[in-house]
Amino acid sequence: IIRDGRRRSPPQYISGWRLPTVFYIWDLLALEGEYIWYLFLFLVSSVVWGAYDTLAARFGLISGVLSSVLLSFYFYYPLATEHFLLVEWWGVIACMWGVIFFLKGDDPKGICLFLIASLIREFFVIPLFIVTILFLIQKKRMLTMYGAASLVGFSVFYANHFIQANTVLLGQI
């Protein structure tokens, strides 16, 4: 992050390539580079508010306040440094919103946000997979189908990313 990475060659292994979703989001919502931080601040604030609102309604005021304070401390470091540019933080935000929607009982939105999180950073497919398995065990057919369709969609997106990145890698060898 500190050095300009454009002078170096692209990563030589597919694991070094990131999925392009967050960069599309930045291109769409942050018209200039400096607005990325403001977008991150807005999304972090919305997660803190959403966690407070959900947990205060479900478990009481103290839980809501405690969760918002702890999340504020959790997000302080990327907000205070340039680490907000790391894609993992953007995936965490989508994943946390997914958890908030699951706690509110809006499972389809939770699945959708878990899918967005996994499209931002591929290891967030693990919560999506776990939730789909839980819906299968609970015999919630429609939600299981939503989860399975999301897993298939992620697989197609990731396979396309893998093919495109390999094309770039093979072109440089």
Side-chain angles (χ1 to χ4, degrees):
I1 289 178
I2 296 172
R3 293 189 310 262
D4 185 0
R6 294 176 291 179
R7 293 189 185 139
R8 298 172 43 192
S9 63
Q12 297 301 311
Y13 301 100
I14 191 68
S15 61
W17 289 73
R18 298 292 180 247
L19 293 170
T21 312
V22 76
F23 306 112
Y24 292 141
I25 293 171
W26 292 351
D27 189 41
L28 182 67
L29 298 177
L31 301 177
E32 301 208 11
E34 64 191 41
Y35 295 141
I36 295 172
W37 185 84
Y38 293 112
L39 178 62
F40 186 75
L41 177 64
F42 172 76
L43 293 173
V44 165
S45 300
S46 71
V47 165
V48 170
W49 173 82
Y52 167 77
D53 184 50
T54 303
L55 293 176
R58 189 163 176 147
F59 301 110
L61 183 64
I62 293 175
S63 295
V65 170
L66 184 62
S67 68
S68 61
V69 168
L70 290 175
L71 281 174
S72 298
F73 286 130
Y74 179 69
F75 283 114
Y76 173 76
Y77 182 70
L79 282 168
T81 63
E82 68 277 351
H83 287 97
F84 70 93
L85 294 171
L86 296 175
V87 237
E88 288 81 3
W89 287 110
W90 297 80
V92 164
I93 290 171
C95 194
M96 284 187 178
W97 264 114
V99 170
I100 288 169
F101 278 115
F102 281 123
L103 287 174
K104 288 185 172 194
D106 198 350
D107 296 335
K109 286 182 185 172
I111 290 172
C112 181
L113 282 157
F114 274 10
L115 175 61
I116 291 170
S118 62
L119 292 176
I120 290 174
R121 188 70 169 106
E122 61 274 1
F123 59 75
F124 285 110
V125 77
I126 296 169
L128 178 62
F129 181 75
I130 290 171
V131 165
T132 304
I133 296 297
L134 288 175
F135 287 143
L136 181 66
I137 291 170
Q138 295 172 352
K139 298 181 181 174
K140 296 182 178 179
R141 285 187 172 186
M142 190 57 90
L143 293 173
T144 303
M145 288 175 34
Y146 288 158
S150 297
L151 288 170
V152 168
F154 168 78
S155 299
V156 169
F157 187 84
Y158 191 75
N160 182 46
H161 167 70
F162 186 83
I163 291 167
Q164 296 294 328
N166 272 334
T167 303
V168 171
L169 284 175
L170 292 176
Q172 291 200 343
I173 293 177

PDB file of all heavy atoms in Angstrom, residues 22 36 45 60 65 82 87 94 123 134 163:
ATOM      1  N   VAL A  22     -15.108  -5.009  -5.803  1.00  0.00           N
ATOM      2  CA  VAL A  22     -14.972  -3.780  -5.027  1.00  0.00           C
ATOM      3  C   VAL A  22     -14.466  -2.633  -5.901  1.00  0.00           C
ATOM      4  O   VAL A  22     -14.850  -1.483  -5.720  1.00  0.00           O
ATOM      5  CB  VAL A  22     -14.089  -3.995  -3.778  1.00  0.00           C
ATOM      6  CG1 VAL A  22     -12.634  -4.065  -4.117  1.00  0.00           C
ATOM      7  CG2 VAL A  22     -14.332  -2.900  -2.764  1.00  0.00           C
ATOM      8  N   ILE A  36     -13.409   7.488  -1.982  1.00  0.00           N
ATOM      9  CA  ILE A  36     -13.454   6.098  -1.515  1.00  0.00           C
ATOM     10  C   ILE A  36     -13.478   6.073   0.011  1.00  0.00           C
ATOM     11  O   ILE A  36     -14.218   5.301   0.614  1.00  0.00           O
ATOM     12  CB  ILE A  36     -12.265   5.290  -2.078  1.00  0.00           C
ATOM     13  CG1 ILE A  36     -12.376   5.192  -3.603  1.00  0.00           C
ATOM     14  CG2 ILE A  36     -12.212   3.898  -1.460  1.00  0.00           C
ATOM     15  CD1 ILE A  36     -11.159   4.584  -4.266  1.00  0.00           C
ATOM     16  N   SER A  45     -20.364   3.522   9.150  1.00  0.00           N
ATOM     17  CA  SER A  45     -21.380   4.150   9.998  1.00  0.00           C
ATOM     18  C   SER A  45     -22.712   3.421   9.894  1.00  0.00           C
ATOM     19  O   SER A  45     -23.414   3.251  10.890  1.00  0.00           O
ATOM     20  CB  SER A  45     -21.561   5.618   9.617  1.00  0.00           C
ATOM     21  OG  SER A  45     -20.359   6.321   9.762  1.00  0.00           O
ATOM     22  N   GLY A  60     -31.907  -5.634  23.890  1.00  0.00           N
ATOM     23  CA  GLY A  60     -31.916  -4.557  24.872  1.00  0.00           C
ATOM     24  C   GLY A  60     -30.924  -3.458  24.529  1.00  0.00           C
ATOM     25  O   GLY A  60     -30.013  -3.639  23.722  1.00  0.00           O
ATOM     26  N   VAL A  65     -25.793  -0.625  22.473  1.00  0.00           N
ATOM     27  CA  VAL A  65     -24.720   0.349  22.706  1.00  0.00           C
ATOM     28  C   VAL A  65     -23.359  -0.357  22.725  1.00  0.00           C
ATOM     29  O   VAL A  65     -22.399   0.120  22.106  1.00  0.00           O
ATOM     30  CB  VAL A  65     -24.964   1.118  24.018  1.00  0.00           C
ATOM     31  CG1 VAL A  65     -23.749   1.947  24.407  1.00  0.00           C
ATOM     32  CG2 VAL A  65     -26.193   1.988  23.902  1.00  0.00           C
ATOM     33  N   GLU A  82      -4.478   4.100   5.790  1.00  0.00           N
ATOM     34  CA  GLU A  82      -4.846   3.819   4.395  1.00  0.00           C
ATOM     35  C   GLU A  82      -5.323   2.387   4.211  1.00  0.00           C
ATOM     36  O   GLU A  82      -5.612   1.966   3.094  1.00  0.00           O
ATOM     37  CB  GLU A  82      -3.661   4.105   3.461  1.00  0.00           C
ATOM     38  CG  GLU A  82      -2.497   3.159   3.611  1.00  0.00           C
ATOM     39  CD  GLU A  82      -1.544   3.514   4.739  1.00  0.00           C
ATOM     40  OE1 GLU A  82      -1.668   4.595   5.338  1.00  0.00           O
ATOM     41  OE2 GLU A  82      -0.672   2.694   5.053  1.00  0.00           O
ATOM     42  N   VAL A  87      -9.325  -4.901   0.349  1.00  0.00           N
ATOM     43  CA  VAL A  87     -10.627  -5.434  -0.064  1.00  0.00           C
ATOM     44  C   VAL A  87     -11.316  -6.198   1.056  1.00  0.00           C
ATOM     45  O   VAL A  87     -12.542  -6.242   1.086  1.00  0.00           O
ATOM     46  CB  VAL A  87     -10.485  -6.360  -1.288  1.00  0.00           C
ATOM     47  CG1 VAL A  87     -11.308  -5.924  -2.420  1.00  0.00           C
ATOM     48  CG2 VAL A  87      -9.082  -6.585  -1.725  1.00  0.00           C
ATOM     49  N   ALA A  94     -20.046  -6.000   4.029  1.00  0.00           N
ATOM     50  CA  ALA A  94     -21.166  -6.726   3.413  1.00  0.00           C
ATOM     51  C   ALA A  94     -21.553  -7.932   4.262  1.00  0.00           C
ATOM     52  O   ALA A  94     -22.744  -8.221   4.435  1.00  0.00           O
ATOM     53  CB  ALA A  94     -20.806  -7.150   1.992  1.00  0.00           C
ATOM     54  N   PHE A 123     -12.994 -15.665   0.214  1.00  0.00           N
ATOM     55  CA  PHE A 123     -13.117 -16.512   1.396  1.00  0.00           C
ATOM     56  C   PHE A 123     -14.407 -16.256   2.167  1.00  0.00           C
ATOM     57  O   PHE A 123     -14.757 -17.028   3.055  1.00  0.00           O
ATOM     58  CB  PHE A 123     -11.890 -16.427   2.319  1.00  0.00           C
ATOM     59  CG  PHE A 123     -11.575 -15.070   2.852  1.00  0.00           C
ATOM     60  CD1 PHE A 123     -12.329 -14.497   3.854  1.00  0.00           C
ATOM     61  CD2 PHE A 123     -10.484 -14.383   2.361  1.00  0.00           C
ATOM     62  CE1 PHE A 123     -12.009 -13.257   4.354  1.00  0.00           C
ATOM     63  CE2 PHE A 123     -10.152 -13.141   2.855  1.00  0.00           C
ATOM     64  CZ  PHE A 123     -10.928 -12.575   3.859  1.00  0.00           C
ATOM     65  N   LEU A 134     -27.176 -24.873   6.742  1.00  0.00           N
ATOM     66  CA  LEU A 134     -28.128 -24.743   7.856  1.00  0.00           C
ATOM     67  C   LEU A 134     -29.567 -24.694   7.363  1.00  0.00           C
ATOM     68  O   LEU A 134     -30.460 -25.304   7.970  1.00  0.00           O
ATOM     69  CB  LEU A 134     -27.801 -23.500   8.689  1.00  0.00           C
ATOM     70  CG  LEU A 134     -26.553 -23.583   9.553  1.00  0.00           C
ATOM     71  CD1 LEU A 134     -26.281 -22.243  10.224  1.00  0.00           C
ATOM     72  CD2 LEU A 134     -26.697 -24.680  10.595  1.00  0.00           C
ATOM     73  N   ILE A 163     -10.189 -17.747 -15.174  1.00  0.00           N
ATOM     74  CA  ILE A 163      -9.814 -17.849 -16.590  1.00  0.00           C
ATOM     75  C   ILE A 163      -9.191 -16.541 -17.078  1.00  0.00           C
ATOM     76  O   ILE A 163      -8.158 -16.544 -17.751  1.00  0.00           O
ATOM     77  CB  ILE A 163     -11.038 -18.238 -17.439  1.00  0.00           C
ATOM     78  CG1 ILE A 163     -11.446 -19.687 -17.135  1.00  0.00           C
ATOM     79  CG2 ILE A 163     -10.766 -18.059 -18.925  1.00  0.00           C
ATOM     80  CD1 ILE A 163     -12.802 -20.071 -17.670  1.00  0.00           C
TER      81      ILE A 163
END
